[in-house]
Amino acid sequence: MKLNLFFLSSAAAMVNAATAQYNNKVELGTAENYAIIAKTGISTVAPSVITGNLAVSPISAGAITGFNLVMDSSGKFSTATQVTGKVYASDYISPTPSELTTAVSDMETAYTDAAGRTVTDGNSNLYDGALGGQTLTSGVYTFDIG
């Protein structure tokens, strides 16, 4: 079984001269507005800190656990002490549900694009999978897992 890791960079494009392969960045669409976006739920334990927005869709805010969510007076988002950003769920007031439907679709499109890419030369079983403390460049990485 192989585990593929897609490390994305804000670089517009890169050229691998060895293979003359041109790789555009993976376009995230509206999914780029979220540090975490999930279809099945998000859980945390103290003292977690998340920088950026997080969202769940198509499930409700009940699938966000371990956060002390406080609904904004607009009903469009929540806040939490563990999140520097806003928290969104599909059961919040419009336009949040439709915006999240688009973001989830964009996330799935980005994943399909990234999953279909060829592993970047030299990025197979890099550091035998021990990535702690390493700085990775843009590219597609794969690791053998048992």
Side-chain angles (χ1 to χ4, degrees), residues 27-107:
E27 293 295 336
L28 302 177
T30 60
E32 74 182 2
N33 296 326
Y34 304 93
I36 302 172
I37 185 167
K39 293 173 62 175
T40 57
I42 301 171
S43 296
T44 191
V45 294
S48 298
V49 177
I50 297 169
T51 302
N53 299 325
L54 64 94
V56 294
S57 180
I59 55 180
S60 71
I64 303 172
T65 60
F67 294 88
N68 58 340
L69 298 179
V70 177
M71 180 62 76
D72 180 73
S73 62
S74 70
K76 296 178 182 178
F77 64 89
S78 293
T79 58
T81 56
Q82 307 97 313
V83 180
T84 303
K86 298 175 182 174
V87 180
Y88 298 91
S90 63
D91 58 339
Y92 289 179
I93 291 176
S94 184
T96 301
S98 63
E99 290 173 350
L100 292 179
T101 297
T102 301
V104 166
S105 177
D106 290 348
M107 170 188 68

